[in-house]
Amino acid sequence: MIRLLAERLQIEADEMRRALALGAVLFAVSGSYTLVKTVRDAEFLSQLPVALLPYVFIGVGVLTLIAAISFMRLTERLSTWESLAGGALVSAFSLLLFAYLLGLRARWVPVAFYLWVNVYGLILMSQFWAFASSVSNPREARRTFGAVGVGGLLGALSGGLLAAPLAQRWTLSALVTVAAALLVAPVPLLRASVRRAVETRPEPEGALPGHECPLLCRSYVRWLIVAAFCAVVVSALVDYQFKLEIQRRFPERRDLASFLGWFYSAVSVAALLLQLFVTRGLMQRLGAAGSVSLLPAGLALGAGFAIAAPGFAAATASRMWDQVMGVSLSKVAGELFYFPLEPGLRRRVKSFIEAGVERLGEGVAGLLILGVGALAGAGTRSLAVSVVVVLGLWIVAWLGVRRGYLVELGRNVRRLNLGHQRMPFSLREAGVIREVARQLDSPYERVVLQSVEMLEENAPELLSARVAGLLKHASPAVRVRALRWIRSRRPEGMLEPVSALMHDADRQVQGEALVTYCALRRVGVAGALEQLIGSDDPSLRRAALACLAEHAGPAEEGRAYAVLEDILARGAVEDRVAVTEGLGRRASPGRL
């Protein structure tokens, strides 16, 4: 069964086993979290005014920051699977405690429950993806994280489908108890993964490459932090809009819980369809940066809708898009942006963003809602305007991330230095070279040229396999660079595509193609060059003269001699220089 799945998804059997194990763990965590989110929102919105929510956002930011830092310090000597398993067990126990407290119907319980759900959910999800990254390399992650995400989406779908009917039949405390049981379920699977040597205890921080670099030592890291901050602020603003509208529409607790259960089910179905049928194609076509940009683009449209026609439909559509993209395409693609960093720096950056920056974003969102409410009233339209402002900063940040992505990949490739036999790091890190090769498909000239330089130095065999495609690139500079590579390496089967570029619209490409054609063909070039020698274009004419002087074969020497002698006697100075340079490069002795 695993082999059949692996063949269908075009991944290796071992990768498929890891993906299924990770997907099962994420299924349990996501199912539990969806059940608890449903209870959290229903309890809060049925007992307390939504105007209290900004203060809760601020509390969530502060409490989660404290809890995440404490959790990190408590688990810094543990492997990622031990941190995840320990966090799941502690969270399950806390949920059982809240299941009892919810039955007391005290007004402070919904606030405390809301705070804790956000804290434990964010920490567990962060620990899961840290564990997933520790057992995958960038190439495997791009191939399998989509399948892993499907497990999480199925878990969220199951949680939502359970929550809607059970909220009408059972108490909300019973739903929390079911969620606690789901968190305990994956712990044996995590333990089994260690017996199979899927993951080992990590090296000390000081032994990992990148540990010497300060946290904010690179602009790429700074842009990542700004982008993550903006994403959380926008998500919190959209969430507040949504809850503002649904509290007006569903005043009863059971109705709220039922609606939220169906809403989260719809989110999971949409995200699942996206993951199964769209994510892989978009990742290959748009790359990680293009895929991530779809989330802010859709939220911008939703904000415009909310400004033009504020209300339940606009708020629900924006929240739906935020949730669907956030748990599927954007989440999978966003994980790839950490891979170019060295392991020591990556671990610190990821922890800082997830434990500090994202939580700070929720607190800032709460302050922003209070500020907007004081100035213009915290309605759907005024909040949508705030979303547009933050989205502008988010887009600028992602442009910075996109520019720095290839630079970091190059730095990591040079660090790997695949030509050396002794490497003081895990071979999983070598997957970044594949990511550099993928950048050859980029439509952007600078990105492709940088990738060519990196691959030429570190993995020339990958460049040889892709150079034919570069001859068709829209950028003349890329076509010229590819022609020079072909001329220096002379791979098989390039004569025909090179000769086609001798008629390229760009003059520089024509000249380079001509020189490359001569270098590849070596014999029988005189006939192909005669027309070009009479060209009105000086650069093309000189390239043809140099080629004829350098590459004319023994059978063509007499014909070439007459042409070149005439140029040397009566041609322009630049033409005579071209002939002289060609003759100077000529390897074999002869009449020329």
Side-chain angles (χ1 to χ4, degrees), residues 104-125:
L104 301 179
R105 306 302 300 275
R107 289 181 66 83
W108 63 270
V109 174
V111 175
F113 189 54
Y114 199 109
L115 291 170
W116 175 241
V117 169
N118 282 36
V119 170
Y120 99 82
L122 292 166
I123 290 176
L124 275 192
M125 285 298 181

Side-chain angles (χ1 to χ4, degrees), residues 193-229:
S193 72
V194 176
R195 289 199 193 101
R196 290 173 169 267
V198 170
E199 194 222 19
T200 57
R201 193 174 298 275
E203 298 176 77
E205 178 71 17
L208 295 174
H211 72 277
E212 73 287 346
C213 183
L215 186 65
L216 302 178
C217 63
R218 297 179 190 158
S219 62
Y220 179 71
V221 172
R222 295 192 290 272
W223 282 123
L224 271 178
I225 290 171
V226 174
F229 174 80

Side-chain angles (χ1 to χ4, degrees), residues 23 76 89 133 301 311 321 338 396-397 399 457 478-479 497:
E76 63 184 354
L89 291 174
S133 296
L301 290 176
W321 181 262
Y338 293 105
V396 170
L399 290 174
E457 180 182 350
V478 171
R479 300 198 295 277

Side-chain angles (χ1 to χ4, degrees), residues 13 34 77 90 147 177 203 213 255 309 471 502 526 581:
T34 302
R77 295 183 180 276
V90 171
T177 303
E203 298 176 77
C213 183
D255 294 336
L471 294 177
M502 290 168 62
E581 288 177 345

Side-chain angles (χ1 to χ4, degrees), residues 13-64:
D14 286 344
E15 293 177 347
M16 190 71 244
R17 290 188 187 92
R18 278 192 290 274
L20 288 174
L22 291 170
V25 174
L26 189 56
F27 176 92
V29 175
S30 297
S32 171
Y33 190 49
T34 302
L35 280 172
V36 174
K37 282 196 302 182
T38 302
V39 177
R40 175 200 69 184
D41 293 343
E43 280 288 327
F44 187 95
L45 296 175
S46 64
Q47 295 190 50
L48 300 168
V50 73
L52 186 61
L53 206 52
Y55 299 98
V56 176
F57 285 164
I58 297 171
V60 165
V62 174
L63 182 61
T64 310

Side-chain angles (χ1 to χ4, degrees), residues 58-76 83 87 90-91 94 112 114-124 126-127 351 354-356 359-360 362:
I58 297 171
V60 165
V62 174
L63 182 61
T64 310
L65 180 59
I66 295 171
I69 292 173
S70 301
F71 184 82
M72 256 193 325
R73 289 182 177 175
L74 289 172
T75 60
E76 63 184 354
S83 299
V90 171
S91 300
S94 70
Y114 199 109
L115 291 170
W116 175 241
V117 169
N118 282 36
V119 170
Y120 99 82
L122 292 166
I123 290 176
L124 275 192
S126 171
Q127 286 302 306
S351 297
E354 293 176 348
R359 307 295 69 79
L360 176 65
E362 290 192 353

